[in-house]
Amino acid sequence: VHVAVTALSAMALLEWESVAPKRIRSALDAANRFLWNTKNTNPDAGDDLVWAHTDRLMYLSRLLQARPQKKSRIVKKMAEITRLVVRLQGKRGDYAHEYPNPFATALTIHALDLARQAKVPVPKKVMDRAAEAVARCRGEDGTYSYGASRRKGGGTMQGSAGRMPMCELA
């Protein structure tokens, strides 16, 4: 959880760097030291591990845009994290937070696509299986189930509204 939240915070800091460059660069330096060290993730935290990896990929993608002169180092780290993410994929193509679900799978597809855009190799089979897993959760009305093992759709539009944009993007 700490890694995921740090990555999201660092992404926000990058967006506001011009407001207080010295202070924000100092905070980003600290965040980078923390995020670069894979030992700060807990490989036994099955419930939250996907967020640690996907949020780092999203941050590194944004960092690559902001610091293109560090491309080699950033892409190397993205490749390392991508390999970890690929191994987390379930037998049915799903990714999980507590249990397999379309919103974790959809965000993972997005993060892996950002890695792919940075020229990190991402197996097509992994992406295809994840996309199929998300599609299995889509109801005829466009809603998405909360979990991957449930029926298609989310029951109500209101109940599914938070999942729908990321699932549709995926």
Side-chain angles (χ1 to χ4, degrees):
V1 173
H2 296 151
V3 171
V5 171
T6 301
L8 293 172
S9 299
M11 242 186 316
L13 286 169
L14 271 175
E15 296 300 320
W16 289 90
E17 188 172 16
S18 63
V19 173
K22 188 175 180 180
R23 288 177 57 206
I24 290 178
R25 281 190 197 115
S26 176
L28 285 170
D29 288 346
N32 284 328
R33 284 190 300 276
F34 183 75
L35 293 171
W36 238 262
N37 188 346
T38 302
K39 291 180 181 178
N40 289 322
T41 62
N42 179 359
D44 298 324
D47 289 354
D48 299 309
L49 190 56
V50 71
W51 307 130
H53 296 326
T54 56
D55 292 354
R56 283 192 302 159
L57 284 175
M58 290 188 302
Y59 167 65
L60 291 170
S61 173
R62 179 63 192 98
L63 185 63
L64 181 57
Q65 293 172 7
R67 309 279 193 278
Q69 71 277 16
K70 297 185 178 193
K71 179 179 181 175
S72 177
R73 183 171 188 250
I74 294 169
V75 171
K76 182 178 178 183
K77 189 62 169 180
M78 290 178 82
E80 174 189 320
I81 296 167
T82 296
R83 288 189 295 274
L84 296 172
V85 170
V86 165
R87 287 192 292 237
L88 291 177
Q89 190 173 45
K91 292 176 184 174
R92 297 183 66 215
D94 302 292
Y95 284 87
H97 166 74
E98 295 181 20
Y99 45 82
N101 62 69
F103 55 91
T105 305
L107 187 70
T108 303
I109 290 170
H110 175 63
L112 288 173
D113 189 56
L114 291 173
R116 186 168 55 182
Q117 289 175 39
K119 307 298 185 222
V120 171
V122 179
K124 183 178 181 330
K125 182 178 178 180
V126 168
M127 297 294 275
D128 289 347
R129 291 179 65 233
E132 290 167 9
V134 172
R136 277 194 308 270
C137 297
R138 189 177 195 276
E140 289 181 22
D141 61 354
T143 61
Y144 287 85
S145 60
Y146 193 74
S149 61
R150 297 184 184 182
R151 62 180 169 73
K152 286 185 171 200
T156 67
M157 194 60 70
Q158 294 87 350
S160 181
R163 299 183 285 281
M164 291 169 64
M166 185 55 70
C167 290
E168 287 295 318
L169 175 64

